[in-house]
Amino acid sequence: NTVIIPDFMDATTCQSLIKEIDSILEKPNEKIWQDDLGADKRAFGADRVSSLIQQIFYRNPLIIAAREAYYQIPDQYIEGCVMANRIVAKKGNLGSGGGWHRDSVNIRQFKAILYLTDVSANNGAFQYMTGTQHKETVIEGILKYGFDHNHNRFTEEEIDKILSNSKHEIHTLTGKAGTLI
């Protein structure tokens, strides 16, 4: 299920987080991942190198409560981290994570996404295809579309084919800076 909480963070806090993330991403560090174009830069475990990110975001009481409810265990037993990233528009950029992809159907994943800038359908909104997180969709992909069992990267043409022949639909999540998804 997807929940959208507008005004989860105020503008000042968002600006502080942007500065903190930028400082992490600009440090020479082998733990910073970036795509070949330099359009998508990611710091996995940003909460472990920034007390600000840990305090304001990862340890936020609402996020802790949601994480505990999702996994149905106390937060102290949940292994998680903050992936902080910056995406810039560049020719040839496929988008966050290298374009359409499926993270996993084998493990349950809790994600809390915080927009630090205003996000519209035209500038990087998070999108997902309903129902594709279930294992059955892997079998559907094999039988209907000839995908391999581990097919997790999708072209626009493959997405169009899936959408035209199935019950799945795309949801686009927009929001002002401070919106939590």
Side-chain angles (χ1 to χ4, degrees):
N1 293 340
T2 304
V3 176
I4 299 172
I5 304 172
D7 302 316
F8 180 75
M9 293 278 172
D10 62 56
T12 303
T13 303
C14 289
Q15 284 303 311
S16 296
L17 288 169
I18 288 170
K19 287 178 185 172
E20 185 75 359
I21 290 167
D22 284 348
S23 75
I24 293 168
L25 293 175
E26 295 309 318
K27 288 180 184 170
N29 183 338
E30 70 279 357
K31 295 184 181 176
I32 302 298
W33 177 90
Q34 71 177 350
D35 67 2
D36 293 339
L37 295 174
D40 186 353
K41 281 183 140 180
R42 297 167 174 231
F44 293 91
D47 56 300
R48 295 176 183 150
V49 296
S50 167
S51 59
L52 181 69
I53 292 171
Q54 183 179 93
Q55 215 171 37
I56 291 174
F57 189 70
Y58 189 78
R59 304 298 319 155
N60 180 283
L62 181 63
I63 292 175
I64 290 172
R67 212 170 27 235
E68 288 179 331
Y70 182 77
Y71 290 114
Q72 297 185 352
I73 59 174
D75 197 58
Q76 66 193 36
Y77 301 113
I78 299 170
E79 182 64 33
C81 71
V82 172
M83 187 274 290
N85 74 312
R86 178 184 342 126
I87 301 174
V88 294
K90 287 190 174 185
K91 186 175 174 78
N93 178 18
L94 296 174
S96 178
W100 283 106
H101 63 278
R102 180 186 348 234
D103 288 346
S104 175
V105 296
N106 297 317
I107 58 170
R108 291 177 49 143
Q109 292 180 326
F110 171 83
K111 290 187 178 187
I113 299 170
L114 179 63
Y115 287 158
L116 298 178
T117 59
D118 293 348
V119 177
S120 72
N122 297 322
N123 72 338
F126 177 69
Q127 292 184 303
Y128 68 94
M129 191 180 300
T130 59
T132 57
Q133 75 275 20
H134 303 295
K135 290 181 182 182
E136 298 80 34
T137 60
V138 174
I139 296 166
E140 177 185 45
I142 293 167
L143 297 176
K144 272 188 170 180
Y145 311 113
F147 297 156
D148 289 331
H149 72 282
N150 60 351
H151 192 101
N152 63 358
R153 296 279 168 193
F154 300 89
T155 64
E156 288 292 334
E157 292 77 22
E158 289 170 332
I159 293 297
D160 290 343
K161 189 185 293 187
I162 293 167
L163 290 171
S164 68
N165 295 309
S166 72
K167 60 196 170 296
H168 308 295
E169 58 185 38
I170 292 176
H171 280 232
T172 301
L173 307 176
T174 61
K176 298 276 185 201
T179 300
L180 180 71
I181 300 168

Coordinates of all heavy atoms in Angstrom, one line a residue, residues 5 10 14 29 37-38 50 52 55-56 69 74 84 95 101 106 113-114 120 122-123 131 153 175 181:
I5 N 2.0 11.6 2.5 CA 1.8 12.5 3.6 C 2.4 13.9 3.2 O 3.6 14.1 3.2 CB 2.5 12.0 4.9 CG1 2.0 10.7 5.3 CG2 2.3 13.1 6.0 CD1 2.7 10.0 6.4
D10 N 9.2 20.5 6.9 CA 9.1 21.8 6.4 C 10.2 22.2 5.5 O 11.2 21.5 5.3 CB 9.0 22.8 7.6 CG 10.3 22.7 8.5 OD1 11.4 22.9 7.9 OD2 10.2 22.5 9.7
C14 N 14.0 20.6 4.7 CA 14.3 20.0 3.4 C 15.6 20.6 2.9 O 16.5 19.9 2.4 CB 13.2 20.2 2.4 SG 11.7 19.2 2.7
N29 N 34.6 9.4 -2.1 CA 34.2 8.2 -1.2 C 33.9 7.0 -2.1 O 33.0 7.2 -2.9 CB 33.1 8.6 -0.3 CG 32.7 7.5 0.7 OD1 33.0 6.4 0.5 ND2 32.1 7.9 1.7
L37 N 26.4 8.3 -16.7 CA 26.3 9.7 -17.1 C 26.6 10.7 -15.9 O 26.7 11.9 -16.2 CB 24.9 9.9 -17.6 CG 24.5 9.2 -18.9 CD1 23.0 9.4 -19.1 CD2 25.3 9.7 -20.0
G38 N 26.6 10.2 -14.7 CA 26.7 11.0 -13.5 C 25.4 11.8 -13.2 O 25.4 12.8 -12.5
S50 N 25.7 10.5 8.6 CA 25.2 11.8 8.9 C 24.2 11.6 10.1 O 23.1 11.0 10.0 CB 24.4 12.3 7.7 OG 23.6 13.4 8.1
L52 N 22.5 14.0 11.2 CA 21.3 14.8 10.8 C 20.3 13.9 10.1 O 19.1 13.9 10.4 CB 21.7 16.0 9.9 CG 20.6 16.9 9.5 CD1 20.1 17.7 10.7 CD2 21.1 17.9 8.4
Q55 N 18.8 11.4 12.5 CA 17.9 12.0 13.5 C 16.6 12.4 12.9 O 15.5 12.1 13.3 CB 18.6 13.2 14.1 CG 18.4 13.5 15.5 CD 19.3 14.6 16.0 OE1 19.6 15.5 15.2 NE2 19.8 14.5 17.2
I56 N 16.7 13.2 11.8 CA 15.5 13.8 11.2 C 14.7 12.8 10.4 O 13.5 12.9 10.4 CB 16.0 15.0 10.3 CG1 16.5 16.1 11.1 CG2 14.8 15.5 9.4 CD1 17.1 17.3 10.3
A69 N 5.4 -1.6 12.0 CA 4.1 -2.2 11.6 C 4.2 -3.0 10.3 O 3.6 -4.1 10.2 CB 3.1 -1.0 11.3
P74 N 10.0 -5.3 16.5 CA 10.5 -4.0 17.1 C 11.6 -3.5 16.1 O 12.4 -4.3 15.6 CB 11.1 -4.4 18.4 CG 10.3 -5.6 18.8 CD 10.1 -6.3 17.5
A84 N 20.4 8.0 0.1 CA 20.2 9.4 -0.3 C 20.7 9.6 -1.7 O 21.8 9.1 -2.0 CB 20.9 10.3 0.7
G95 N 16.6 7.7 -15.8 CA 15.9 8.0 -14.6 C 16.5 7.3 -13.4 O 17.5 6.6 -13.5
H101 N 12.5 -0.7 -13.4 CA 13.1 -1.9 -12.8 C 12.2 -2.4 -11.7 O 11.4 -1.7 -11.2 CB 14.5 -1.6 -12.3 CG 14.6 -0.6 -11.2 ND1 14.6 0.7 -11.4 CD2 14.6 -0.8 -9.9 CE1 14.6 1.4 -10.3 NE2 14.6 0.5 -9.3
N106 N 11.4 -11.3 -3.9 CA 11.8 -12.4 -3.0 C 11.9 -11.9 -1.6 O 11.9 -12.7 -0.7 CB 13.2 -12.9 -3.4 CG 13.1 -13.6 -4.8 OD1 12.2 -14.3 -5.1 ND2 14.1 -13.3 -5.6
I113 N 10.0 7.5 1.0 CA 10.6 8.4 0.1 C 10.2 9.8 0.5 O 9.0 10.1 0.6 CB 10.1 8.1 -1.4 CG1 10.6 6.7 -1.8 CG2 10.7 9.1 -2.3 CD1 9.9 6.2 -3.1
L114 N 11.2 10.7 0.7 CA 10.9 12.1 1.0 C 11.4 13.0 -0.1 O 12.5 13.0 -0.5 CB 11.7 12.4 2.3 CG 11.6 13.9 2.8 CD1 10.1 14.2 3.2 CD2 12.5 14.1 4.0
S120 N 6.9 17.1 -9.9 CA 5.7 17.0 -10.7 C 5.9 15.8 -11.6 O 6.9 15.2 -11.6 CB 5.5 18.3 -11.5 OG 6.5 18.4 -12.6
N122 N 6.5 16.0 -14.6 CA 7.5 16.3 -15.6 C 8.9 16.4 -15.0 O 9.8 16.7 -15.8 CB 7.1 17.7 -16.2 CG 5.8 17.7 -16.9 OD1 5.5 16.7 -17.5 ND2 5.0 18.7 -16.8
N123 N 9.1 16.2 -13.7 CA 10.5 16.3 -13.3 C 10.9 15.3 -12.2 O 11.5 15.6 -11.2 CB 10.7 17.8 -12.7 CG 10.0 18.0 -11.4 OD1 9.1 17.3 -11.0 ND2 10.5 19.0 -10.6
G131 N 0.8 -3.9 -8.5 CA 0.8 -5.4 -8.5 C 2.0 -6.1 -8.9 O 2.1 -7.4 -8.8
R153 N 15.0 -5.5 -15.3 CA 15.2 -4.2 -16.0 C 14.3 -4.2 -17.3 O 14.3 -5.2 -18.0 CB 16.6 -4.0 -16.5 CG 17.6 -3.9 -15.4 CD 17.6 -2.5 -14.8 NE 18.4 -2.5 -13.6 CZ 18.3 -1.5 -12.7 NH1 17.6 -0.4 -13.0 NH2 19.0 -1.5 -11.6
G175 N 4.4 15.6 -5.6 CA 4.3 16.3 -4.3 C 5.2 17.5 -4.2 O 6.2 17.6 -4.8
I181 N 6.4 9.7 1.0 CA 5.7 8.6 0.4 C 6.1 7.4 1.1 O 7.2 7.1 1.3 CB 6.0 8.5 -1.1 CG1 5.6 9.8 -1.8 CG2 5.4 7.3 -1.8 CD1 6.2 9.9 -3.2

